[in-house]
Amino acid sequence: MKVLFAIKRLAATAGGAERVLCTVCSILAERGYEVVLVTFDSPGGSTFYPLDARVRRLDAGIGDSSSHARLGETWHRMRAIRQIVLEEKPNLVVGFMHSIYVPLALALVGTATPVLGSEHIVPEHYQSRRLEYLLLVLASFFLARMTVLSEAIKARYPLPVRRRMVVMPNPVEIPVGQIPPEQVKLRRVLLNVGRLEDQKDQHTLLCAFGRVAASFPDWDLRIVGDGSLRAALEMGVRELGLEGRVFLPGVTADIAAEYRAADIFALSSRYEAFGLVTAEAMSFGLPTLGFADCPGTNELIQHEQNGLLVPPGEDRTAGFAQGLARLMRDSSLRHKLGDAGRSAVLNSYATARIGDLWEKLLADVCKTSKAQMGLPTS
């Protein structure tokens, strides 16, 4: 089977959906699929995440893939990707994120090539983006299927869109071998991974750490990622007098090293579609902490079983500080929750299992498409 994947931007982009795309493409290529990956990046760019050498990449180089496209640019891209699909003749096309599957679905009307849209965010993301949401709803009528990351997310879409949706969890790379027991070391690490943006709310995490830092002088905080709030967070570190204890190292290609060096994973996000970094942290045996009202996080973390969920209450910072302190002072609790989290991720999100789900979905879409065209399905 030949599958064409498409994403707006991939070069030097360290996002969760981009990581999942590279993983899924690599899994399928390894299993014998012919995989073509189309982007609007300039030709010759490298991927931030590993990509199997058998995946053939086509960079269309139309406009600036890192910025919002103007109407004329979008029209040019739609024409270009339609031509690419007609030339490549894939069995089906998969668009990752609405920035590509919306124009892709409309561009391929009349080609008889089934299009699958892969959504990686929650409906709350569109509250201030009404036009984008309307276009998503419109495009859904031209999609063979649309993947979402959980049943809870699916339930929040209107029925006409929901009918085309199928749940497809993100794959999580499980570390090979046993996780070593917690070691005696001079400094312990609270870890957060994510874009430095309002959605991730690292400001609350920083302030919460500020409230407990004096009581736990051997603990440091690392916030790995980059974004528009870097300057504000750096200023917050200075105002709280936490220089030398809070570190913002930026984006890293070796995220596994960060997980291995950490003792607690703390995610202060307001909402997540899946919480990929939380699942990854759990796979490394890290005890996790998040907010009870955070979609995505509250589906991965089972309170008191494989992590802790704190109610936001009237003071998000106070609640998070209490959760941090509880984990920081109790090594046996950290060990118990970390072991349970690793087992949960291993059973539900291992790449082999998610690869099987993708293979089944692709086969079902192709079979349905052939049946609609009156072709043999065997």
Side-chain angles (χ1 to χ4, degrees), residues 17 161 182 331 360:
V161 180
E182 193 172 77
S331 62
K360 182 180 185 303

Side-chain angles (χ1 to χ4, degrees), residues 261-321:
D263 298 276
I264 295 172
F265 187 80
L267 194 78
S268 48
S269 297
R270 298 180 183 277
Y271 64 86
E272 294 283 342
F274 173 74
L276 179 60
V277 291
T278 303
E280 288 177 341
M282 293 167 75
S283 77
F284 279 83
L286 288 177
T288 53
L289 174 70
F291 279 110
D293 67 339
C294 176
T297 297
N298 59 20
E299 292 166 39
L300 282 169
I301 298 177
Q302 302 299 311
H303 184 54
E304 300 284 359
Q305 296 180 34
N306 58 22
L308 296 181
L309 292 171
V310 298
E314 296 182 1
D315 186 345
R316 282 172 63 87
T317 300
F320 214 70

